[in-house]
Amino acid sequence: MSSFIIEGNCRLNGNIRPQGAKNEALQIICATLLTPEKVEIHNIPDILDIRNLICLLQKMGVKTERLSDEACSFQADELDMNYIYSEEYACKAASLRGSVLMVGPLLGRFGKAVLPQTGGDKIGRRRLDTHLTGLQTLGAAFNHGIRHHLCEITAPKGLKGEYMLLDEASVTGTANIIMAAVLAEGVTTIYNAACEPYIQQLSKMLNSMGAKIQGIGSNLLTIEGVTALHETKHTILPDMIEVGSFIGMAAMTGSEITITNTAYDKLGIIPESFRRLGIRLEKKGDDIFIPAQDKYQIETFMDGSIMTIADAPWPGLTPDLLSVMLVVATQAEGSVLIHQKMFESRLFFVDKLIDMGAQIILCDPHRATVIGLGNRQKLRCAKMVSPDIRAGIALLIAAMSANGTSRIDNIEQIDRGYQRIDERLNKLGAHISRKNA
């Protein structure tokens, strides 16, 4: 288990470019399974989850070619479909939650797929009902309890387009259903579909491959099935979660930084949500400039009541940034209620912030009230363990702003979502050293 040693209370300065979007990359790379032709992907983040996914595809027989540090081509023309029933596949896929996104493409193209019990962040129950119900509506059948704890999913009569109303606007669920439906017979209508930029990007890429998807950007998608998809090139968006993390990092450390190439128009409500915490930021073309601030004041609602920041389906605030916003609020002036609706264990890392001197009341598994004390009480250093990707980056931000030297163990969780974060931040003036296990 590797660790970060962080010397706190260091100000940053300079420019930083966000990596490619992790959540989009997982979908896009899995979508390359839909065609035997070559698909070229650019702006791929060099992070643990993506490396593991590419390795898994290579084991299945996908031909990959590294075109540059951030680009790779994939060609799934000679897949070994027996591999997905192997113990090795079960082990590798189970350790990577993104592997669930292989089910839709494999089912759509080959009529069969297997689903292991997937891993990923320990942030509470993350059910797959939306995925499975949607695929079942298209004609999928399930055989539970085959060897290696795998669930086999087949399409005994082929996939047929149908109307479906999703029980929740699941991003990965919507992506899986789309990827299965593009090769299904007839027309599929998905209502209450997720419409995040990642889903829009996936849909646009599939259309460039010959799919027929209408309603992109809305929660009502209509998909006319086609018989085959062909080659294409695609560029992944900058990671909006990293953009938000850097905004919070600049505020917490009183730093002046510029985040370059942010795809600002795709950030939705994120910039305004940080402004509600009192953080000044300026749009400069496609860049975001955050000036140094000695203090920032949390807004109240117009009637004077306490500010509430909550996650919601797009175009609402992504739940992946609530951990960052919570830690940023600890050093603001004023109070805010953070309401994490989606995952019941994602706020449990606040006990570590309380140990650092933060004033936080954990109301229940979904809500925490933060009393920001501004400059009156700096956070103190601590020894911590990263429980998941987003809590990990929040703890790193806290440690960077604290007095003294902190240690964060289990940083493999952070590496799953943030590309060489220590090296990139050290170039801005941070003092972060990595100790490998």
Side-chain angles (χ1 to χ4, degrees):
M1 185 168 63
S2 300
S3 306
F4 279 150
I5 309 299
I6 306 104
E7 182 182 329
N9 210 15
C10 293
R11 293 207 172 194
L12 313 180
N13 186 270
N15 298 349
I16 190 166
R17 182 174 73 88
Q19 67 189 28
K22 167 185 178 283
N23 292 337
E24 180 187 341
L26 291 170
Q27 297 176 19
I28 294 297
I29 292 172
C30 288
T32 65
L33 294 168
L34 284 164
T35 177
E37 299 186 22
K38 185 176 291 188
V39 178
E40 203 172 288
I41 310 297
H42 294 261
N43 201 29
I44 299 174
D46 183 19
I47 55 177
L48 189 58
D49 273 9
I50 299 302
R51 291 197 296 270
N52 287 342
L53 177 61
I54 293 174
C55 179
L56 187 59
L57 294 181
Q58 290 170 333
K59 291 283 187 178
M60 290 177 61
V62 177
K63 300 168 185 172
T64 63
E65 180 184 356
R66 179 61 66 176
L67 306 175
S68 71
D69 289 343
E70 298 181 344
C72 192
S73 69
F74 302 83
Q75 188 167 10
D77 59 341
E78 295 181 341
L79 290 187
D80 177 10
M81 290 301 290
N82 291 324
Y83 177 73
I84 65 176
Y85 294 94
S86 68
E87 184 175 357
E88 183 182 59
Y89 176 83
C91 180
K92 288 182 178 296
S95 65
L96 174 67
R97 184 169 178 82
S99 65
V100 71
L101 289 161
M102 297 167 60
V103 171
L106 291 176
L107 186 65
R109 183 176 165 201
F110 298 101
K112 62 180 179 180
V114 295
L115 180 66
Q117 183 175 353
T118 52
D121 288 331
K122 307 305 180 187
I123 54 178
R125 186 172 59 93
R126 304 175 76 180
R127 62 187 181 88
L128 297 176
D129 297 52
T130 304
H131 302 243
L132 302 181
T133 302
L135 296 175
Q136 191 173 47
T137 301
L138 295 176
F142 306 104
N143 178 17
H144 296 278
I146 66 172
R147 61 186 182 277
H148 312 313
H149 307 289
L150 297 173
C151 171
E152 182 182 41
I153 306 174
T154 59
K157 297 181 180 180
L159 298 180
K160 309 284 187 182
E162 291 286 350
Y163 170 87
M164 63 184 78
L165 173 60
L166 303 188
D167 63 337
E168 65 172 349
S170 164
V171 176
T172 53
T174 300
N176 242 339
I177 296 167
I178 290 172
M179 289 188 283
V182 291
L183 293 178
E185 180 183 337
V187 176
T188 299
T189 302
I190 308 173
Y191 198 19
N192 195 31
C195 53
E196 271 77 355
Y198 310 134
I199 294 293
Q200 298 176 39
Q201 286 283 98
L202 173 65
S203 299
K204 291 174 182 176
M205 172 184 150
L206 292 174
N207 278 352
S208 74
M209 297 169 69
K212 298 179 179 179
I213 305 172
Q214 296 181 337
I216 297 173
S218 75
N219 69 345
L220 179 61
L221 297 176
T222 303
I223 304 168
E224 182 181 344
V226 297
T227 56
L229 299 179
H230 53 71
E231 66 181 6
T232 194
K233 295 181 181 179
H234 179 82
T235 300
I236 294 168
L237 287 174
D239 196 314
M240 66 172 71
I241 312 305
E242 226 188 35
V243 172
S245 300
F246 294 149
I247 293 172
M249 193 175 294
M252 282 282 283
T253 58
S255 302
E256 178 181 298
I257 69 170
T258 298
I259 309 169
T260 63
N261 303 314
T262 64
Y264 190 93
D265 293 340
K266 301 291 186 181
L267 294 177
I269 200 173
I270 290 173
E272 186 56 35
S273 298
F274 280 101
R275 289 189 181 102
R276 287 184 167 188
L277 295 179
I279 299 170
R280 296 197 306 271
L281 53 95
E282 303 172 21
K283 178 180 182 292
K284 294 188 174 182
D286 205 30
D287 301 343
I288 297 177
F289 171 69
I290 304 102
Q293 293 179 246
D294 290 328
K295 62 180 181 179
Y296 46 102
Q297 175 77 45
I298 299 173
E299 295 180 1
T300 60
F301 285 118
M302 290 183 179
D303 62 359
S305 58
I306 185 172
M307 175 62 61
T308 298
I309 294 179
D311 60 333
W314 186 267
L317 182 64
T318 171
D320 284 347
L321 274 176
L322 284 190
S323 298
V324 172
M325 301 193 81
L326 186 150
V327 75
V328 170
T330 66
Q331 295 300 285
E333 294 186 354
S335 300
V336 63
L337 175 67
I338 301 293
H339 190 174
Q340 166 61 266
K341 299 175 184 176
M342 188 171 295
F343 303 115
E344 64 265 27
S345 303
R346 208 167 213 174
L347 297 182
F348 287 169
F349 78 102
V350 301
D351 62 332
K352 301 172 179 64
L353 298 176
I354 293 171
D355 289 342
M356 298 177 77
Q359 301 291 298
I360 304 173
I361 301 169
L362 186 60
C363 309
D364 57 44
H366 292 277
R367 296 177 299 164
T369 300
V370 184
I371 299 95
L373 300 178
N375 292 331
R376 287 171 288 165
Q377 184 171 319
K378 292 279 290 183
L379 297 180
R380 53 181 174 264
C381 59
K383 182 177 179 180
M384 301 166 278
V385 178
S386 173
D388 63 76
I389 299 175
R390 307 310 174 187
I393 199 68
L395 293 175
L396 178 60
I397 294 171
M400 291 172 64
S401 73
N403 286 325
T405 300
S406 298
R407 179 188 178 114
I408 302 177
D409 294 329
N410 195 30
I411 60 170
E412 289 81 3
Q413 287 286 356
I414 302 174
D415 289 336
R416 286 180 48 221
Y418 290 85
Q419 178 175 306
R420 298 187 300 277
I421 191 66
D422 50 332
E423 298 174 24
R424 296 159 69 204
L425 294 179
N426 285 342
K427 290 180 180 179
L428 298 181
H431 293 166
I432 305 169
S433 59
R434 180 184 292 263
K435 285 198 169 184
N436 293 318

